[in-house]
Amino acid sequence: MLQCTAVTALPPDEALAALVSMEGGPDDADDLLHDEPYVLCELGEHGEAVEHAARLWTAETEPPASLWFLWVGSAGGHRVHHRFTALPLCPVRIHHVRENYRQWCGLYDHHPGNHSFHVRDPLRDAHHAQIRRDAERTYGGDTDDTDER
């Protein structure tokens, strides 16, 4: 499943207040927000009835909770409603036996749609494809940088 591509500006004053008041929030909330003036929905593709969601921070509390920015957009792409809320993380994980590692779902508990490890980001896929093409042009098709020279 492809990731939703909805993007919206993060209201900085509200986001700062939510991060600062969150239990286990970041020590450098200003810096964190400076790096993220816009957020991208992290859910898989979904209908208009489902709120878009972007995780801002995950606290190292027990159990861990994340601060999420949820919003609803209009047909024209404008945000018509938003809220900040702390939600527990989805407990689902997948165990990759061959590589011997576990991958947790990066979304909130009871999220709609597929788990994060089944959602592909089309923008990241396009970016990685461009990096591969650039490397092939630069290194003549041999992208293995372990050659002894």
Side-chain angles (χ1 to χ4, degrees):
M1 168 178 271
L2 292 178
Q3 182 175 340
C4 176
T5 56
V7 175
T8 193
L10 191 62
D13 294 338
E14 293 176 56
L16 181 60
L19 284 165
V20 168
S21 65
M22 175 186 186
E23 181 184 351
D27 294 332
D28 57 348
D30 283 328
D31 292 338
L32 177 72
L33 292 175
H34 179 72
D35 294 339
E36 293 193 42
Y38 294 92
V39 291
L40 174 67
C41 180
E42 297 179 34
L43 301 174
E45 292 176 313
H46 55 83
E48 292 179 19
V50 174
E51 290 177 304
H52 298 290
R55 181 176 45 176
L56 300 181
W57 182 258
T58 300
E60 294 183 14
T61 57
E62 200 51 51
S66 293
L67 180 65
W68 288 84
F69 179 65
L70 304 174
W71 77 96
V72 176
S74 69
H78 300 296
R79 188 176 66 233
V80 294
H81 170 73
H82 67 268
R83 63 191 175 107
F84 293 88
T85 186
L87 298 168
L89 292 174
C90 178
V92 174
R93 66 181 175 196
I94 188 170
H95 186 184
H96 300 274
V97 176
R98 184 174 296 155
E99 294 87 8
N100 193 28
Y101 75 95
R102 291 179 180 87
Q103 185 177 5
W104 291 88
C105 177
L107 302 174
Y108 54 88
D109 200 11
H110 303 295
H111 59 82
N114 288 355
H115 297 289
S116 64
F117 38 76
H118 294 303
V119 175
R120 286 188 18 247
D121 179 351
L123 300 174
R124 184 176 34 232
D125 290 349
H127 180 68
H128 287 172
Q130 183 63 47
I131 290 170
R132 282 192 297 278
R133 285 191 298 274
D134 291 348
E136 288 171 0
R137 276 195 297 270
T138 301
Y139 300 107
D142 182 13
T143 58
D144 181 9
D145 60 359
T146 60
D147 291 342
E148 292 183 28
R149 298 191 194 255

